[in-house]
Amino acid sequence: MNGRKLAYYPGCPSAGTAVDQDMSTRAVFEKLGIELAEVEDWNCCGAAEAENPILVYALNARTLAIAEKDGLDIVTPCSICYYNLERSNMALKEDESLRAKMKEIDPSLDYRGGIKARHVLDVFINEIGMDELKSKIVKKVNIKVAPYYGCYIGRPPTTAFDDPDDPILMDQLIELIGGECVDFSYMKTKCCGGPLMMTRADIAFEMAKNVLEAAKRAGADCIALACPLCGMMLDAKQPDIEKALNIEIGMPVIYITQLLGLALGIDSKKLGLDKAAVDTKEIVGKVV
Amino acid sequence: MPIKTWELDPNFRNEIMNEPGGEHLASCFQCSTCTLGCPITEIVPSYNPRKIIQMSLLGMREEVLSNPDLWICLICQTCTARCPQDVVVSDVLGAIRRIAEKEEEAGKLKIESPRPLFDKAFLHQLEKYGRLYDIGLAKEYYPKKEGSFIKGMRAMMKDYKDFGMRMFKKGKMGPKAILPEKIKRTGEVKKIFEKIGD
């Protein structure tokens, strides 16, 4: 991290279903005194739908090249965006012929490998660090949390920044802010089903239900997560899952940036906590 | 059913390995770690990426490309993380999916899964706007999936009426999400799709 400033990549869901994740990310970094400069004219990373790696590299080379002009590392709150940005960065950094190929497609893809992409969770723990975070915490988030990591934090090994089987960074953050992590190890890194939502909703719903019910069984007050697709599946779609599978869940789902924001004393509305499909008032009420 | 050796395509493995992402196919030694850890197998017990890879190595081109299981991979990377041979299973399956899509475009294969239609509709939004436009995606995908505009709109309403209202009430589908967020230099992104395709 170059001083106290990072390039910010909000990702496409920031304009819609994950507007709360975007709001809380901006609010938390502001509170921590780290400037986020949104990457000028950034484009979509290709998500899970761009399957051709060359297409992924090209899409992300453009965004990386724009951020590289200011010499700033990119931070993003989205796990899929992080994966695509960083795997493109790594591929382009080590392969000169690939860089040449990109430049040939369009001069705007002329990325030289001078920066890195980071996930917010990685920046919180490994860059800002527990000591600084601790010094800025003003409230106790007195809740039981099921820390849910999903796919791209501990996998694949090339871009992972946490353990693939039992990741701990979110657990550490939750404990730091006064929360208690419930036993959720076996479910932490299971996929939420999101990538199949539009083509095999039956499978996607089943997978999301498994995560939600495991959190409930473990006695969690809420699930904490760090990916807007997981957020859409587990929160925004939760009433649809309940209806389709004829079950009752009622499990609040909160972005890790929102939880950290509460501990930093940021107003819950500014963190977008009123925008969740499953009510979060009870959680906010337990912040003292 | 026994394999008919005369129906095998010995070049199929090369075809996959020549696709970006398919390079490491031949490193597979059939340990089945990919399949044992796969979360899809808990819901669809017959799902077996190890088998898809072995059939590919043997040259069972037709059977592999027409296998409906190709389209239920989550790309969750569990198999990739655990593979002791660095096969990058998710990327290999992606390479096979792209070959299947090309076969369909050439009129030689009919893919039952709507997933290629979804992926294409998604990428078309990027091509046009540089970013994902959810409503544009749904308006392209549903009619194609259902076979007509009317049927598509009906299916979309069924899937998304409650969801849309919920998002609107919570302020997640405000004016910002109703109109596409178009980047300024869309020409640069269009160039990418022109040169690489989708």
Side-chain angles (χ1 to χ4, degrees), chain A residues 59-259:
Chain A
L59 287 168
N60 290 282
R62 182 177 174 277
T63 299
L64 287 162
I66 297 170
E68 192 181 33
K69 280 183 200 142
D70 299 322
L72 295 173
D73 284 349
I74 296 179
V75 65
T76 177
C78 171
S79 301
I80 304 175
C81 298
Y82 161 71
Y83 165 59
N84 280 331
L85 281 163
E86 186 54 12
R87 73 168 158 147
S88 302
N89 173 40
M90 292 169 96
L92 292 163
K93 207 171 255 179
E94 66 196 30
D95 187 346
E96 206 188 317
S97 67
L98 186 62
R99 288 202 300 274
K101 194 172 170 178
M102 294 294 126
K103 220 165 115 181
E104 226 173 79
I105 292 169
D106 192 79
S108 64
L109 312 186
D110 185 14
Y111 173 62
R112 300 178 183 179
I115 56 167
K116 244 188 97 52
R118 312 276 301 259
H119 188 280
V120 286
L121 187 59
D122 178 28
V123 171
F124 289 151
I125 308 276
N126 297 319
E127 201 62 53
I128 298 166
M130 299 294 263
D131 291 340
E132 186 182 333
L133 289 175
K134 199 175 170 183
S135 73
K136 292 188 171 155
I137 285 166
V138 294
K139 288 198 168 166
K140 187 172 184 262
V141 182
N142 200 12
I143 51 170
K144 286 185 182 167
V145 185
Y148 179 65
Y149 293 74
C151 298
Y152 296 105
I153 288 173
R155 301 186 295 264
T158 42
T159 52
F161 55 90
D162 207 339
D163 189 87
D165 298 309
D166 195 9
I168 52 157
L169 297 184
M170 218 184 312
D171 295 50
Q172 288 177 352
L173 201 54
I174 290 161
E175 277 157 20
L176 182 81
I177 62 177
E180 181 193 327
C181 292
V182 299
D183 183 12
F184 204 54
S185 299
Y186 72 108
M187 198 47 92
K188 272 179 175 179
T189 62
K190 276 260 168 77
C191 178
C192 70
L196 290 179
M197 185 55 236
M198 296 295 279
T199 55
R200 280 298 297 269
D202 57 331
I203 297 178
F205 277 9
E206 197 66 31
M207 299 198 67
K209 180 202 81 174
N210 288 345
V211 178
L212 291 163
E213 286 193 330
K216 206 173 171 180
R217 271 199 308 275
D221 296 319
C222 74
I223 290 176
L225 44 73
C227 169
L229 186 58
C230 301
M232 191 191 76
M233 277 311 288
L234 300 182
D235 175 60
K237 285 264 169 199
Q238 198 179 125
D240 299 315
I241 294 168
E242 290 178 314
K243 197 174 157 193
L245 303 178
N246 197 18
I247 49 171
E248 230 177 274
I249 306 169
M251 174 59 63
V253 177
I254 298 185
Y255 289 109
I256 191 70
T257 42
Q258 293 177 308
L259 279 183

Side-chain angles (χ1 to χ4, degrees), chain B residues 35-185:
Chain B
T35 306
L36 289 168
C38 174
I40 285 287
T41 59
E42 290 169 22
I43 294 161
V44 184
S46 61
Y47 185 68
N48 193 330
R50 181 216 40 91
K51 198 168 162 188
I52 295 174
I53 289 180
Q54 179 66 350
M55 287 167 80
S56 301
L57 288 166
L58 284 169
M60 299 170 75
R61 191 173 189 278
E62 231 184 283
E63 290 89 336
V64 169
L65 296 182
S66 60
N67 186 344
D69 284 354
L70 281 180
W71 308 99
I72 57 172
C73 162
L74 292 155
I75 332 180
C76 74
Q77 309 285 345
T78 308
C79 50
T80 298
R82 295 181 181 174
C83 175
Q85 286 292 92
D86 294 333
V87 175
V88 199
V89 190
S90 316
D91 285 4
V92 168
L93 293 179
I96 298 173
R97 283 192 285 270
R98 287 204 305 287
I99 295 172
E101 285 178 53
K102 281 182 211 157
E103 286 287 288
E104 189 178 48
E105 276 161 32
K108 293 183 208 158
L109 179 73
K110 174 84 189 87
I111 299 170
E112 295 298 330
S113 164
R115 183 150 154 191
L117 297 175
F118 178 72
D119 287 356
K120 285 231 158 67
F122 188 104
L123 294 175
H124 287 159
Q125 309 310 309
L126 270 57
E127 200 174 347
K128 262 189 260 178
Y129 308 113
R131 288 185 196 165
L132 172 61
Y133 174 40
D134 283 321
I135 295 172
L137 165 59
K139 265 165 68 184
E140 177 177 336
Y141 171 61
Y142 274 100
K144 280 196 179 151
K145 180 186 166 210
E146 301 297 330
S148 82
F149 183 77
I150 301 284
K151 278 187 197 160
M153 288 301 110
R154 221 177 275 149
M156 184 169 101
M157 284 306 281
K158 187 172 164 278
D159 287 356
Y160 276 90
K161 199 179 81 205
D162 292 353
F163 179 86
M165 279 310 290
R166 194 181 309 134
M167 293 295 99
F168 181 76
K169 273 190 205 150
K170 293 288 180 179
K172 285 190 169 184
M173 280 282 179
K176 244 186 135 184
I178 286 166
L179 295 171
E181 274 221 5
K182 199 172 174 177
I183 66 168
K184 279 184 262 165
R185 301 183 294 280

Side-chain angles (χ1 to χ4, degrees), chain A residues 264-277:
Chain A
L264 294 170
I266 302 169
D267 178 61
S268 65
K269 252 197 150 161
K270 204 178 166 193
L271 295 166
L273 277 154
D274 56 331
K275 294 185 183 298

